């Protein structure tokens, strides 16, 4: 239309400029968003321009939809043309193209055309639901807080703002709100507690997320001990104490209270005051020149101590020698005579004392020699001194046994000089009155004098004595503290055998560990800790030929409070297998029972291993894949493939308050020994694992309790709410119950950490009449705002039912009897599926059909992936022993391979034969293997 100019338009061309310039856009259309149903106005302005038209999505906009204006630039005199169009929401929605809706302007002048930029038009929106709402958290003070927020989808992209208690949260050195819409608080403070909301907004609307409550708690800490108080008595034995308070810091916002005692008491001995007393007077001195003599005494009988009064009176006494009749010369002469007499008498006394001492010494020496001579000659005393039967011998000469007035020297290694004999009843009474003298300590070597000092600790009889006193060595090889006394025959099995010392048990464990052990060779086998849900499978071929290992498995029963925090909970017993130097060519399969409800993804469960410095390190998370370990988590147990001996445990971190831990509830009853009409009901709440209930059952079997109701399972949620137990429907006219015991409660922390000690509460009842022999009632166990279980009690008090339990006593199985899959079948499967074919590694399909297709990278690094998969299948099916699932999987694989190509016929035939063999009875399989 605008290819040339008519003659009548020449004047217009001059007005628009004939200087030879193309149109220049003074305003171009901008990108815009259509909000709701409001149309968008696009505007263009150019100079000089004969015409301006819009072009949208490659098509010209009709001239009727343009609104044009024209005016003259006052500076240049050139005309400026301005054009505007409206774009509706319907136009944008109806457009379907590879890119967004766009428009541009085209301006004409007498020299040509110019195009503006493209303006993109989009419909603005903001959806209602957040892709991820922030979750409330409880964090310790100075811990890190991370609140995640993913805003709703929108155009344009929504901007995120965080609100705390409806006030905006700004970023500073400790708070970061710009980390990918997340709120990160590096070190939590008490002031950071509050309700946090994620606010998303764009040009269309604003959206608010769910409110996340953040609680910053402070665990209590003990203050320093105060000084010991003064003894509460002025004299003698008393008590003093010191105290501390849980104020360093005080627990806040639900933090745990300090564990331990707030007051310590100690016995004290207050020293009683001792008043002084005078000792004896000394002899009078010789008269001096003044005709006086003196004597003295000291305040030492006793000396004043601990504030006691000193002696009253004089320490020096003076007296006249002659009553005042002597002179100075007389005194001198008298003094010389007295001094000479004293010297004479002193010499005679010293000589007499010396003679007496020599006589006594010679007499004692001869007597001792005669006594030792009797022991040397009497050889019967040596050979029969420690026999259990009695015999007659001379006991009069033995002062150690008969003469009770002469005490023996107990510091000389308990050395007896003659055999112990009981001559009459008086001797026996003397012996019985001093048990510490004749009862030798454990492992004490009793020596007997003879011509050569024969030690019974070395002689044959002494060896028998120690055998009776010593504890039997029941530790498995690898756990025994000392093998220095084991002979060659006890340390070698087959051609060669390796025995390494494992870790020693704690010096003072709170409970003795449960142990089992067995000697395994090339055929492998299985270790089982009875009634605990813990077992270990050693695969066939894992141990080299002509080599045996004495392997053991231990369940540690120490307190495990280190796991029971707000973050981690122990979900299984701690299990150790060894010895530490175990050398296997393929991993072992360990099965451990746990108490986590894993149906919902509310737990983060990890496998941990204890290091040499008694710290725990994370081996793997059961949700992740690892090449060092394999974990198959089931509803009630976990199967592990392990390559390194050590102590392992399953630890869980609850991800929300919906995390559930299974508890087993059981009620036992027994008669009250102190009250003939009394009866006691004991309710236990333990982790739902065979090991935890076995501990309760063993304790009740010892105390004579009987199980009154089948144990039930309670799902205990991690919502910080307590567990309540109450007794109901007790016959009021037949039985009475002690007041204040009808309803009892366990705190949340006690139940959440119940693996430390079995939780127990008791209800004490008393019948009004001996004729009331029947007891029926209900015991309700419920968590606040949680699940409830009812234990029905109906029992006869007079006829106590006997509590029985099907105990498993098999602790180890060696060779073929330990496996469900016969060895010949196992070898066929491994030979078939370990070989790759054109369709890939067949062991992967085997793992898929056996539902063990997670973490395949672990099997890939094994020398025989099929053998490891079958070992895991063995551990998974050890209780049922059902081979149907394996046979069905092999049959499906055979059908799949037969449809691929004819090249897999051999594999198909082998698989079919194996499937048919597995379909036979167990007796036939055993017979074939034999």
């Amino acid at each position: 239309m605008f290819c040339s100019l008519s003659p009548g338009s020449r004047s217009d061309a001059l007005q628009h400029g004939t200087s030879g310039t193309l149109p220049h856009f003074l305003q171009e259309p901008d990108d815009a968003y259509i909000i709701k149903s409001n149309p968008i106005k696009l505007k263009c302005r150019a100079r000089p321009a004969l015409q301006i038209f819009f072009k949208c999505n490659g098509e010209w906009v009709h001239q009727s939809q343009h609104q044009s204006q024209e005016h003259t630039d006052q500076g240049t005199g050139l005309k400026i043309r301005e054009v505007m169009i409206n774009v509706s929401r319907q136009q944008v929605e109806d457009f379907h193209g590879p890119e967004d809706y766009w428009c541009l302007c085209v301006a004409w002048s007498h020299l040509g055309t110019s195009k503006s930029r493209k303006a993109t038009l989009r419909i603005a929106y903001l959806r209602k639901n957040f892709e991820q709402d922030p979750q409330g958290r409880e964090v310790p003070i100075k811990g890190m807080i991370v609140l995640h927020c993913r805003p709703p989808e929108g155009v344009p992209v929504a901007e995120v703002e965080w609100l705390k208690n409806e006030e905006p949260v700004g970023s500073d050195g400790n708070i970061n709100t710009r980390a990918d819409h997340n709120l990160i608080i590096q070190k939590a403070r008490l002031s950071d507690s509050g309700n946090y909301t994620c606010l998303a907004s764009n040009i269309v609307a604003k959206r608010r997320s769910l409110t996340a409550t953040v609680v910053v708690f402070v665990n209590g800490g003990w203050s320093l001990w105060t000084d010991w108080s003064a003894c509460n008595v002025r004299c003698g034995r008393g008590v003093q104490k010191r105290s501390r308070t849980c104020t360093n810091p005080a627990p806040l916002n639900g933090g745990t209270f300090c564990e331990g005692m707030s007051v310590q008491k100690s016995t004290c001995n207050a020293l009683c005051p001792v008043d002084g007393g005078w000792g004896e007077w000394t002899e009078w001195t010789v008269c001096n020149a003044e005709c006086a003599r003196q004597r003295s005494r000291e305040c030492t009988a006793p000396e004043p101590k601990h504030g006691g009064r000193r002696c009253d009176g004089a320490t020096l006494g003076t007296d006249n020698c002659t009553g005042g009749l002597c002179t100075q010369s007389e005194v001198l002469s008298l003094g010389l005579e007295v001094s000479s007499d004293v010297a004479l008498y002193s010499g005679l006394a010293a000589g007499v004392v010396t003679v007496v001492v020599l006589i006594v010494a010679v007499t004692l020496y001869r007597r001792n020699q005669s006594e030792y001579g009797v022991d040397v000659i009497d050889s019967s005393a040596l050979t029969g001194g420690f026999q259990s039967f009695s015999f007659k011998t001379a006991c009069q000469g033995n002062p150690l046994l008969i003469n009770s007035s002469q005490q023996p020297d107990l510091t000389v290694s308990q050395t007896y000089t003659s055999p112990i004999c009981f001559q009459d009843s008086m001797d026996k009474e003397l012996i019985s009155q001093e048990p510490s003298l004749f009862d030798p300590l454990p492992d004490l070597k009793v020596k007997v004098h003879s011509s050569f000092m024969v030690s019974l600790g070395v002689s044959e009889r002494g060896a028998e004595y120690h055998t009776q006193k010593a504890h039997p060595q029941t530790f498995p090889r690898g756990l025994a503290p000392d093998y220095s006394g084991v002979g060659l025959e006890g340390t070698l099995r087959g051609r060669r055998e390796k025995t390494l010392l494992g870790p020693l048990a704690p010096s003072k464990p709170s409970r003795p560990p449960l142990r089992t052990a067995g000697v395994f060779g090339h055929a492998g086998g299985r270790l089982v800790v009875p009634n605990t849900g813990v077992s270990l499978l050693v695969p066939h071929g894992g141990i080299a030929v002509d080599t045996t290992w004495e392997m053991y498995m231990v369940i540690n029963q120490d307190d495990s409070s280190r796991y029971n925090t707000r973050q981690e909970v122990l979900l299984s017993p701690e299990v150790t297998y060894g010895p530490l130097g175990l050398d296997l060519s393929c991993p072992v399969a360990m099965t451990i029972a746990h108490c986590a409800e894993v149906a919902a993804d509310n737990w983060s469960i990890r496998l941990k291993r204890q290091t040499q410095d008694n710290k725990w390190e994370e081996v793997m998370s059961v949700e992740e894949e690892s090449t060092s370990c394999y974990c198959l988590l089931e509803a009630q147990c976990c199967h592990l493939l392990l390559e390194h001996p050590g102590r392992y445990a399953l630890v869980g971190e609850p991800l929300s308050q919906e995390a559930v831990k299974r508890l087993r509830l059981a009620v036992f009853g027994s008669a009250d020994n102190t009250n003939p009409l009394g009866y006691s009901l004991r309710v236990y709440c333990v982790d739902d694992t065979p090991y935890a209930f076995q501990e309760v059952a063993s304790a009740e079997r010892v105390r004579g309790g009987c199980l009154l109701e089948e144990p039930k399972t309670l799902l205990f949620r991690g919502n910080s709410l307590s567990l309540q137990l109450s007794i109901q429907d007790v016959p009021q006219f037949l039985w009475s119950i002690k007041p204040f015991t009808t309803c009892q409660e366990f705190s949340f922390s006690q139940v959440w950490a119940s693996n430390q000690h079995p939780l127990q509460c008791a209800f004490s009842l008393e019948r009004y009449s001996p004729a009331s022999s029947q007891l029926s009632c209900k015991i309700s166990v419920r968590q606040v705002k949680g699940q409830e279980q009812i234990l029905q009690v109906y029992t006869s008090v007079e006829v106590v039912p006997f509590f029985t339990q099907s105990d498993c006593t098999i602790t180890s199985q060696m060779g073929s009897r330990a496996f469900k899959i016969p060895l010949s079948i196992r070898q066929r499967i491994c030979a078939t599926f370990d070989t790759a074919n054109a369709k890939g590694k067949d062991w992967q399909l085997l793992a898929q059909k056996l539902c063990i297709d997670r973490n395949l990278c672990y099997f890939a690094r094994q020398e025989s992936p099929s053998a490891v998969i079958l070992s895991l299948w063995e551990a998974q099916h050890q209780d049922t022993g059902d081979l149907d699932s394996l046979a069905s999987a092999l049959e499906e694989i055979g059908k799949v391979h037969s449809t691929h190509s004819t090249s897999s016929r051999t594999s198909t035939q082998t698989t079919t034969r194996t499937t048919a063999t597995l379909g036979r009875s167990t007796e036939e399989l055993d017979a074939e293997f034999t």
Side-chain angles (χ1 to χ4, degrees):
M1 292 192 310
F2 307 99
C3 293
S4 62
L5 295 175
S6 62
S9 302
R10 293 182 180 274
S11 59
D12 294 338
L14 293 175
Q15 292 179 355
H16 287 81
T18 58
S19 59
T21 60
L22 291 174
H24 172 67
F25 283 96
L26 302 178
Q27 181 178 356
E28 295 182 274
D30 296 326
D31 296 337
Y33 294 96
I34 297 179
I35 303 174
K36 298 183 179 179
S37 298
N38 300 325
I40 294 296
K41 293 183 179 182
L42 299 180
K43 186 183 293 185
C44 279
R45 187 168 58 189
R47 181 187 62 188
L50 295 177
Q51 283 294 343
I52 300 177
F53 280 90
F54 273 91
K55 194 175 186 179
C56 295
N57 302 321
E59 297 181 359
W60 295 101
V61 180
H62 197 272
Q63 185 177 3
S64 62
Q65 298 180 6
H66 290 73
Q67 300 177 14
S68 301
Q69 293 183 357
E70 208 176 72
H71 61 275
T72 304
D73 189 349
Q74 300 297 330
T76 61
L78 299 177
K79 287 188 177 182
I80 299 174
R81 180 173 292 275
E82 182 178 301
V83 177
M84 182 177 63
I85 64 171
N86 291 332
V87 180
S88 67
R89 181 188 181 97
Q90 187 67 34
Q91 290 178 261
V92 177
E93 289 181 345
D94 292 343
F95 172 72
H96 299 285
E99 53 184 353
D100 293 331
Y101 193 98
W102 58 269
C103 292
L104 57 80
C105 297
V106 180
W108 282 266
S109 68
H110 70 285
L111 293 180
T113 62
S114 297
K115 293 183 179 180
S116 70
R117 65 177 295 275
K118 281 185 179 181
T120 302
L121 304 183
R122 302 180 66 186
I123 299 176
Y125 67 92
L126 183 63
R127 303 200 183 279
K128 294 183 179 181
N129 297 326
F130 278 72
E131 293 185 6
Q132 182 179 5
D133 289 293
Q135 301 292 327
R137 302 182 69 86
E138 293 184 3
V139 296
I141 193 169
K142 296 184 180 181
M144 178 180 286
I145 302 175
V146 180
L147 297 180
H148 299 280
C149 176
R150 295 176 61 186
E153 179 185 355
V155 174
V157 177
E159 296 181 355
V160 171
E161 180 184 8
W162 284 93
L163 303 178
K164 174 192 172 185
N165 299 331
E166 304 303 325
E167 295 293 333
V169 178
S171 297
D172 56 20
N174 189 41
I175 301 178
N176 183 10
T177 60
R178 296 183 294 272
D180 193 21
H181 306 312
N182 300 325
L183 174 65
I184 300 176
I185 302 178
Q186 298 294 337
K187 293 185 178 181
R189 301 157 297 191
L190 290 176
S191 58
D192 293 327
S193 298
N195 297 322
Y196 288 83
T197 306
C198 182
L199 182 64
S201 61
N202 63 3
I203 60 177
V204 179
K206 292 184 178 180
R207 303 284 188 246
R208 292 171 60 94
S209 69
L210 298 177
T211 300
T213 301
V214 174
V215 177
V216 181
F217 62 88
V218 179
N219 293 325
W222 287 114
S223 64
L224 296 177
W225 288 103
T226 61
D227 295 334
W228 287 104
S229 64
C231 205
N232 62 346
V233 295
R234 295 182 64 253
C235 175
R237 186 180 181 85
V239 177
Q240 60 181 164
K241 62 181 180 179
R242 63 176 182 175
S243 62
R244 59 179 178 176
T245 57
C246 190
T247 57
N248 186 32
L252 293 175
N253 297 337
T256 58
F257 196 79
C258 304
E259 296 183 359
M261 298 183 298
S262 61
V263 178
Q264 276 188 346
K265 294 182 179 180
S266 176
T267 59
C268 57
N269 290 308
L271 300 177
C272 299
V274 178
D275 297 334
W278 288 114
E280 297 292 335
W281 286 100
T282 61
E283 297 294 333
W284 288 104
T285 61
V286 181
C287 283
N288 56 17
E290 287 81 12
C291 297
R293 57 180 181 175
Q294 295 179 344
R295 64 177 180 175
S296 63
R297 58 180 178 176
E298 296 181 355
C299 189
T300 57
E303 294 182 2
K305 296 180 181 178
H306 317 308
R309 296 192 304 271
R310 294 189 61 82
C311 302
D312 295 332
T315 59
L316 187 65
T318 304
D319 189 20
N320 190 281
C321 300
T322 62
L325 299 179
C326 69
T327 61
Q328 186 173 5
S329 60
E330 293 174 346
V331 171
L332 292 174
S333 61
L334 181 60
L336 293 174
E337 294 176 0
V338 172
S339 62
S340 62
D341 293 340
V342 170
L344 176 61
Y345 293 141
S346 299
L348 292 176
V352 171
V353 171
T354 302
V355 173
V356 171
V357 170
L358 290 175
I359 295 174
V360 172
V362 172
T363 303
L364 292 177
Y365 177 76
R366 291 182 176 178
R367 179 175 300 177
N368 289 334
Q369 290 296 323
S370 63
E371 290 176 354
Y372 282 113
V374 171
D375 288 336
V376 172
I377 296 173
D378 189 5
S379 61
S380 63
L382 175 62
T383 58
F386 289 87
Q387 295 179 4
S388 59
F389 55 86
S390 62
F391 55 90
K392 294 182 180 181
T393 184
C395 296
Q396 291 83 352
N398 191 345
L400 177 64
L401 302 179
I402 303 302
N403 189 2
S404 60
S405 62
Q406 183 178 354
Q407 295 296 332
D409 187 5
L410 297 179
T411 63
V412 189
S413 69
Q414 292 286 19
T415 301
Y416 300 134
T417 58
S418 69
I420 299 177
C421 60
F422 302 100
Q423 186 176 13
D424 52 20
S425 60
M426 180 184 69
D427 296 341
K428 296 180 181 180
E429 292 176 0
L430 290 174
I431 297 299
S432 62
Q433 289 174 2
E434 296 193 10
S436 61
L437 184 62
F438 301 105
D439 292 342
L441 297 174
D443 296 333
L444 186 65
K445 295 182 179 181
V446 183
K447 298 181 180 180
V448 178
H449 281 290
S450 67
S451 58
F452 54 96
M453 297 296 292
V454 179
S455 173
L456 293 182
V458 181
S459 65
E460 180 182 358
R461 191 168 297 276
E464 295 176 0
Y465 174 81
H466 282 283
T467 302
Q468 296 173 359
K469 294 294 184 182
H471 296 287
Q473 292 293 333
T474 58
F475 300 99
R477 182 169 299 128
L479 274 184
D482 185 13
Y483 279 103
S484 60
V486 180
L488 180 63
E489 297 177 355
T491 58
L492 296 180
R493 294 177 181 272
R495 297 183 183 176
R496 55 191 176 99
E497 179 181 59
K498 303 177 183 179
T499 303
L500 301 179
L501 295 182
L504 296 179
S507 58
K508 291 183 179 179
S510 59
R511 287 172 284 177
L514 297 175
R515 306 170 185 265
T516 183
V519 178
F520 295 92
H522 184 70
R526 190 189 306 270
L527 277 178
V528 179
V529 182
N531 307 312
T532 60
V534 176
S535 63
L536 184 74
L537 185 140
V538 183
H540 176 87
I543 300 176
V545 182
D546 297 334
T547 303
T548 59
W549 283 91
E550 184 164 9
M551 300 178 61
Y552 62 86
M553 190 162 50
V554 181
I555 298 182
N556 181 52
Q557 295 179 278
D558 292 338
D559 292 340
S560 304
S561 59
R562 57 183 171 271
Y563 295 107
N564 300 312
T565 63
R566 288 178 177 268
Q567 287 77 28
E568 291 186 343
V569 179
L570 185 62
L571 300 176
S572 73
E574 299 175 10
V575 180
T576 304
Y577 88 91
L580 290 181
L582 187 62
D583 183 16
L584 298 177
S585 60
C586 56
V588 298
M590 178 186 290
T591 300
I592 306 179
H594 65 82
C595 61
E597 187 69 16
V598 296
D601 297 333
N602 296 317
W603 285 98
S604 174
I605 301 178
R606 294 181 288 271
L607 176 67
K608 289 200 171 185
R609 181 175 185 266
Q610 191 178 34
T611 59
Q612 294 182 354
D613 53 356
N614 293 330
K615 295 182 179 179
W616 289 85
E617 63 180 2
E618 181 175 336
V619 178
M620 67 172 296
S621 174
V622 297
E623 294 88 4
E624 300 175 353
E625 295 189 357
S626 172
T627 58
S628 62
C629 182
Y630 191 95
C631 182
L632 179 61
L633 186 66
E634 295 185 333
Q636 296 183 346
C637 64
C638 184
H639 307 287
L640 305 170
L641 292 176
L642 304 174
E643 299 179 9
H644 303 289
R647 178 177 293 183
Y648 294 88
L650 286 179
V651 178
E653 178 182 358
L655 301 180
S656 66
Q657 293 186 354
E658 300 301 321
V660 174
K661 179 179 176 183
R662 297 192 316 275
L663 300 179
R664 183 174 295 188
L665 312 177
V667 55
F668 290 82
S670 63
D672 191 347
N673 296 328
T674 60
N675 184 3
L677 299 179
Y679 196 78
S680 176
L681 296 177
R682 293 177 296 279
V683 184
Y684 292 89
C685 304
V686 299
D687 290 351
D688 188 21
T689 60
Y691 161 71
F693 184 73
Q694 174 66 17
E695 188 176 10
V696 172
S698 300
E700 281 294 331
R701 188 181 292 109
V702 171
R703 68 191 304 175
C706 56
L707 185 65
L708 303 181
E709 168 73 342
E710 285 295 326
K712 295 185 177 181
T713 302
L714 176 73
L715 301 182
F716 189 80
R717 297 172 53 192
N719 55 8
S720 303
L721 298 179
S722 59
L723 187 70
Q724 296 178 348
L725 298 91
S726 60
I727 186 170
Q728 304 169 2
D729 299 342
V730 178
Q732 298 181 357
F733 300 103
L734 300 177
W735 291 83
S736 65
I737 185 171
K738 289 186 178 181
F740 311 111
T741 61
T742 56
C743 183
Q744 303 182 40
E745 184 171 339
F746 292 126
S747 66
F748 173 80
S749 59
Q750 288 178 296
V751 182
W752 204 240
S754 60
N755 58 295
Q756 298 181 43
H757 301 285
L759 295 181
Q760 171 193 353
C761 73
F763 299 99
S764 298
L765 293 87
E766 184 177 0
R767 45 183 172 166
Y768 292 111
S769 171
S772 302
S773 61
Q774 301 294 328
L775 172 62
S776 63
C777 62
K778 297 179 180 178
I779 296 178
S780 169
V781 184
R782 62 178 294 269
Q783 185 185 15
V784 178
K785 297 182 180 180
Q787 191 182 24
E788 180 182 14
Q789 285 286 10
I790 300 296
L791 299 176
Q792 181 68 50
V793 175
Y794 184 80
T795 182
S796 175
V797 178
E798 300 296 338
V799 182
V800 179
F802 180 73
F803 170 55
T804 60
Q805 182 184 8
S806 57
D807 293 345
C808 172
T809 57
I810 299 176
T811 59
S812 63
Q813 289 178 308
M814 288 74 173
S816 60
R817 294 298 178 182
F819 301 97
K820 307 301 179 185
I821 306 175
L823 179 60
S824 58
I825 302 301
R826 181 187 181 93
Q827 291 174 343
R828 290 185 202 172
I829 295 175
C830 294
T832 301
F833 293 104
D834 282 343
T835 304
N837 57 23
K839 297 300 180 178
K841 295 184 177 179
D842 286 345
W843 61 262
Q844 298 184 9
L845 187 59
L846 174 65
Q848 178 183 354
K849 295 301 181 180
L850 295 180
C851 301
I852 313 176
D853 54 346
R854 193 180 65 84
N855 195 10
L856 294 180
C857 58
Y858 176 83
F859 300 114
R861 59 181 289 268
Q862 303 296 328
E863 181 179 354
S864 174
S866 301
V868 179
I869 293 173
L870 293 179
S871 296
L872 186 59
W873 187 92
E874 286 271 5
Q876 187 180 10
H877 296 81
Q878 59 180 313
D879 296 329
T880 59
D882 185 12
L883 294 176
D884 292 340
S885 61
L886 179 60
S888 300
L890 296 176
E891 186 175 358
E892 291 183 11
I893 294 175
K895 293 179 180 178
V896 171
H897 278 228
S898 63
T899 59
H900 287 330
S901 64
T902 58
S903 61
S904 61
R905 290 178 181 175
T906 303
S907 174
T908 304
Q909 294 172 0
T910 304
T911 306
T912 305
R913 289 197 304 269
T914 305
T915 304
T917 306
L918 286 175
R920 294 154 59 188
S921 63
T922 305
E923 292 78 3
E924 293 175 347
L925 292 174
D926 293 340
E928 177 183 344
F929 179 77
T930 304

